[in-house]
Amino acid sequence: MFVTNLRTSFLLLLSVASASKIFQQTGDVEVRKPVTDKRTYTYKTLDSGLRVLLVQDPDAQKSSYAMSVEVGSIDDPPDFQGLAHFCEHMVFLGSKKYPEEDSFSKELALYGGSNNAYTASDQTVYFAEVGHEGFQKTFDIFAHFFIDPMFASSMVDKEVNAVDSEHKKNMPDTQRRLWHLLRSKANPKSPLSKFSTGDLKTLKLEPEKQGKSLAAALEQFHSKNYCPSRMHLVMMSNSSAEDLLKIARKSFDTVKKDSCEPRPIYEDTPTFSHDLGNLGRSFTVHTAGSPQLWLQFPTVSLRGRYKEQADLYVNYALNHYGPGGLKALLKEKDLSLGYSAYFETTPAGSMFFVTFSLTENGAKNTDKVMKYFFAYMNSLRAQGVNKDILEKLQGMNQVSFDYQERSSSESDFVTSLAGALTSAPAEDVLTSGALLDKINLDLTREVLGGIAPDNMNVALVSPGFDEKTGKEHEQYYDFNYAEKALDPKLIETLQKASGFGLKPPPSLLYVPKQLALIDGSATDEMPERLESGVELWWLGLGRFKVPKALIQMKLGYPRSAVQSASRHVLAAMHSRLVNMALEKPSDALQMCGLSYSVSSGEEGMSISFSGFDEHLIELVRLVLPVVRQPHNPSEEFEVARRQFILDVSDITKAQPYQHAMEAFDLVTMKGGHSRAALLKAAHDTMAVSPSAHEAFIRDIFSKPTLTLLVAGNLDRKRSREITEEAKSLLLDSEVKPSKGFLARIVDKFIPSREPQRVLATDSDEDYPFVLKPKKELEIRVPNPIPDDPNSATIVAYQFGIPTLADRVRFSMISGLIDRPVFDVLRTQHQLGYVVFGFVTAHRDILEVRVLVQGFRETPDVVEELIESTVQNLTSQFANLDDKEFEVRKASLRSDLVKPPANLASFAGKFWGQIWDKTYCFDKAQREVRFMDGADFQSSASLLDAWKQTVSSKNRKKLAVKLFGADPSGKLALREMKNQEDHDIITDVEHTTPLSTASYWPHEYLCK
């Protein structure tokens, strides 16, 4: 997996230990940690020079480990672009001690484990987690990937195709295209200009023409860069630091001390300048998706300056949405509804990127977007860096750091530690990357000064640009584009830009100070029903001793309120309109760690609030009246409608397999609407209009129901008070007309096309039942992404409505099929980079699914290979011995009894059941009782369930085949007709109910 090391979220910056006095004394260093962190950190250096961070975590449910290596894509040899990424793929495929290519994945799967890796610009990180019982064996296999990797020539030839498939998957992605294009314009002597991912051409075909061997280059690259002095190991388990150190030494003591050179630093090579002719450039690129505007600025290097966080001030200013902020102005002028800003720092230099998501108007007026942006930057420079803002941020960060919650994944946590160790000492491993320890006003001013019109490149991504007119060609992502110098007059205008009501942001206003914790939690950590006049459930703190809370609300309404395509659009737009109305007034609260979300679905509106509890009620009081009635001007409604059309029209945001899933859901679930139907409805300005929206609001609030779940640092009394507020603001108030005089006159004489309706209560006919075919069903559709060669094939085998015992069986089945499906279809047959075999819920039923995305074979061939793979798996279930069954059973049991990692997962454990009114709160306990009982003592029931689902006479098989373009650019899809043994659908937009099919009932079995 290739990734970029981009920091995209300002809120991720809000955690710091700058003033923390909580230190953990370790063997060699002091590691700063939050007050809530129960872990013990010990840092050691082995005789070989390998540095190891040992983390003893009493609450760890699995053991996890990660290795970061100080080498990344910028270190690729010029003749083998993508070699660092390819090495990442090859490392996991066997060692001299464990030569089988799948020995690691098999051992991990046995103990409920998983693994992955990524290659960034300056580092490569490998990571895994596994049940404690499998820790020592899998760790030793992991260690030998770095000690004596196999690098078998047969796997080199296979895996280079996997890298090539990964790149083909990424080629249509606009973000990747632009990120690569802008970096590729760097000084050719700078490694930033390289092609990072690699493909078959750069790794194999071109080097072979020059008589160079990929296998030999791989060996040389590994021996040169994978040295103990450039590797950082992190191990975490519930074992003591002493035991972890013994395990590390046992596996890594054979490593010899190296004389490896320190990782290269490339900052002496200028990347962008006017003298090089690669600064002050403008690019135009076609997209089949939404328009964007990219600004790129080379900046002063921030490498090693993490304590000063000179980018924090700029990020805070750009994320400000209050009065005088850039975001509010761009929205008001209908130019952009949002943007992202991030700094990228590598050993080759630092860059700052801003990416604007443009409206239709914004795409036509990019000069205005830039003028407002630089007017804002100029106002920041004119006032000077405000030290009070930085001090308030420092205080906010301190609270956020001290009361941060656990990650949901042990693997994610150790991976972040390993990555941090390549750029920060161990004492700062928990605080580096997003923390403000030292305010440096001069460095902040220098960063701000580099964000200037004469120090940038600009790229417009536009659906209106005809790619055929582009005279330049990007060879690796295969697209044409236009390039020219920025207009000097435009640069001069931007340098002088000012006014427009733009001004620097204020200091933070809601830094939490009341951090006391409540007493008590619900009994047995199960939701407690509180009397309140509505359905109110309460959890309390549970095991999460932090001054934070989470409130979940469901505003229920009949499904008939959103049954039509236009009502689906209005429901989606309602959430947008609420967010648009709240962006400015909620900004001060959200910048202090509070958040809310609003989304409308087929049976209710989901409203949630989270963050520090001190000011949470203020956010509730702000949001709920707007949910009840947004009061958006008609102009704003029109902006939201057009933006909805842009977003739904953007087919490039989804991968081909996601488009295949759209077709699958459309055919197999009752009452759905296609992308085309939603667009048709959204274009109808009478069916989707301000008056139609008001009718929608009246309908959903005519007889609503209210359900709440409160978790965290809110006691029963405050929970009831919040519930009373919610009842008053949502149920008791009356919707009033929000339109002006002219709009009401228009509505009087030109009424909305949305009919007046009397809403019925929900009936079985309204429920989105899942299709139950009597014959096998095949769905054949084209890949909607133009010229994309990738196809996708999804094959599903329906089991039906499960009991809790069935859920246990299929959880184990899912773990059993995952790796074999991957090994056969991806590793052996090289069908594509995206290959999964799994069991999933499809509304009320369970399905076994296999998913493949790639370009090497047509979906018809892929389906045959999937079918043979699935049938061959039957022997695996038949031959599953008692020992493996018991090991997998113990691993599954551990997963079932695993406590929630944080407040969100604690509430999430119950909220879905409250929303669906199934109330099977003790589901996990019941499943464990089944596992420990007499009916689950052998694998026989697994085999029976598997055969019933995939190979019985009455099996229910469904397949989606999405066809990509062939090399000529034409679709490989060919027409087929229904056959006696299966039905074929080729037009999902106009599918009529199958005469040979029925629907599964709506039922949940808590037994």
Side-chain angles (χ1 to χ4, degrees), residues 272-543:
F272 293 90
S273 71
H274 290 284
D275 290 340
L276 289 169
N278 61 359
L279 198 58
R281 308 298 296 173
S282 173
F283 307 93
T284 307
V285 179
H286 171 76
T287 180
S290 302
Q292 298 177 350
L293 178 68
W294 287 56
L295 306 182
Q296 174 198 32
F297 305 86
T299 73
V300 58
S301 175
L302 299 179
R303 186 178 61 85
R305 311 294 293 270
Y306 64 89
K307 289 190 175 185
E308 296 153 301
Q309 283 300 290
D311 54 348
L312 183 61
Y313 189 81
V314 173
N315 278 311
Y316 174 71
L318 287 174
N319 278 277
H320 168 59
Y321 201 99
L326 176 65
K327 280 189 173 182
L329 179 64
L330 291 174
K331 174 191 155 187
E332 176 189 328
K333 299 295 184 181
D334 185 22
L335 296 170
S336 171
L337 295 183
Y339 54 77
S340 61
Y342 54 88
F343 285 81
E344 181 194 19
T345 294
T346 74
S350 298
M351 287 187 292
F352 176 58
F353 293 90
V354 185
T355 305
F356 298 89
S357 296
L358 300 175
T359 63
E360 286 181 321
N361 185 46
K364 298 172 185 175
N365 293 278
T366 54
D367 288 0
K368 284 187 179 180
V369 176
M370 289 189 284
K371 183 165 65 175
Y372 294 146
F373 172 77
F374 284 108
Y376 190 50
M377 291 294 104
N378 292 338
S379 74
L380 296 179
R381 280 188 285 267
Q383 188 188 69
V385 178
N386 188 328
K387 187 177 181 181
D388 180 66
I389 287 178
L390 289 172
E391 288 175 344
K392 288 284 183 18
L393 286 170
Q394 198 172 42
M396 181 69 228
N397 292 350
Q398 177 68 52
V399 177
S400 297
F401 177 79
D402 279 338
Y403 296 101
Q404 63 183 271
E405 296 185 74
R406 290 177 66 95
S407 168
S408 296
S409 164
E410 276 93 354
S411 180
D412 288 349
F413 181 67
V414 298
T415 302
S416 68
L417 296 181
L421 285 170
T422 64
S423 57
E427 58 264 30
D428 295 330
V429 71
L430 294 174
T431 61
S432 66
L435 313 174
L436 181 58
D437 282 337
K438 178 184 176 183
I439 294 176
N440 187 331
L441 298 178
D442 290 336
L443 182 60
T444 302
R445 292 188 195 100
E446 191 173 0
V447 168
L448 191 57
I451 305 174
D454 59 352
N455 185 49
M456 73 170 178
N457 288 326
V458 177
L460 172 63
V461 185
S462 172
F465 174 68
D466 185 355
E467 189 172 337
K468 295 178 181 178
T469 64
K471 297 182 179 179
E472 306 296 328
H473 184 74
E474 206 303 301
Q475 59 175 322
Y476 301 115
Y477 284 81
D478 192 23
F479 64 89
N480 293 340
Y481 62 96
E483 179 181 357
K484 63 180 180 180
L486 283 171
D487 185 348
K489 291 183 179 179
L490 173 63
I491 294 175
E492 183 179 356
T493 299
L494 299 178
Q495 288 173 325
K496 297 177 180 179
S498 64
F500 313 111
L502 294 164
K503 58 185 179 181
S507 295
L508 295 174
L509 299 176
Y510 295 97
V511 177
K513 297 177 182 177
Q514 303 297 323
L515 304 172
L517 300 180
I518 65 171
D519 293 323
S521 298
T523 306
D524 297 326
E525 295 190 353
M526 292 283 190
E528 176 184 326
R529 181 75 181 264
L530 300 182
E531 293 297 326
S532 64
V534 296
E535 187 177 348
L536 168 62
W537 297 89
W538 180 77
L539 280 170
L541 280 174
R543 66 185 65 221

Side-chain angles (χ1 to χ4, degrees), residues 649-817:
S649 300
D650 190 350
I651 52 177
T652 65
K653 287 183 178 178
Q655 286 286 321
Y657 75 85
Q658 293 169 313
H659 287 292
M661 277 307 308
E662 281 185 27
F664 182 77
D665 287 342
L666 189 61
V667 171
T668 62
M669 286 173 57
K670 193 173 182 180
H673 297 284
S674 68
R675 187 183 294 249
L678 294 176
L679 285 171
K680 181 179 179 181
H683 276 100
D684 187 339
T685 55
M686 297 181 72
V688 177
S689 65
S691 59
H693 180 233
E694 289 194 358
F696 166 76
I697 294 174
R698 285 195 298 273
D699 283 348
I700 64 174
F701 283 99
S702 61
K703 292 182 180 179
T705 59
L706 183 61
T707 307
L708 295 91
L709 173 66
V710 180
N713 199 41
L714 293 171
D715 60 20
R716 294 175 179 86
K717 182 175 181 293
R718 289 178 69 192
S719 297
R720 289 190 180 98
E721 290 171 351
I722 289 173
T723 301
E724 288 302 316
E725 293 261 6
K727 285 169 57 181
S728 173
L729 295 171
L730 290 176
L731 304 185
D732 301 337
S733 57
E734 183 180 348
V735 178
K736 299 176 181 179
S738 61
K739 295 174 290 186
F741 172 77
L742 181 59
R744 292 199 299 271
I745 292 296
V746 170
D747 284 345
K748 181 177 180 180
F749 292 102
I750 309 178
S752 165
R753 191 171 294 166
E754 181 68 23
Q756 296 294 316
R757 60 180 67 216
V758 177
L759 293 181
T761 57
D762 280 338
S763 67
D764 283 347
E765 290 302 313
D766 297 321
Y767 189 77
F769 294 101
V770 175
L771 190 72
K772 184 180 183 181
K774 292 183 179 178
K775 295 195 297 184
E776 292 187 2
L777 177 64
E778 182 176 320
I779 304 163
R780 301 172 68 86
V781 292
N783 183 343
I785 303 172
D787 303 323
D788 184 0
N790 288 289
S791 295
T793 307
I794 302 172
V795 179
Y797 304 85
Q798 294 183 341
F799 169 76
I801 297 173
T803 63
L804 295 184
D806 293 324
R807 292 180 187 274
V808 169
R809 295 186 186 99
F810 276 95
S811 292
M812 190 175 287
I813 287 172
S814 189
L816 279 162
I817 68 174

Side-chain angles (χ1 to χ4, degrees), residues 921-966:
F921 295 149
D922 62 344
K923 172 177 173 288
Q925 291 89 328
R926 291 174 182 237
E927 290 174 335
V928 169
R929 285 198 296 271
F930 165 73
M931 293 183 69
D932 295 342
D935 293 335
F936 199 58
Q937 296 304 309
S938 75
S939 61
S941 63
L942 298 181
L943 177 62
D944 290 343
W946 176 258
K947 291 170 68 175
Q948 174 188 337
T949 306
V950 307
S951 58
S952 70
K953 180 180 179 181
N954 297 319
R955 75 172 186 176
K956 303 187 185 318
K957 176 184 174 183
L958 306 91
V960 184
K961 299 178 181 180
L962 181 140
F963 291 78
D966 64 22

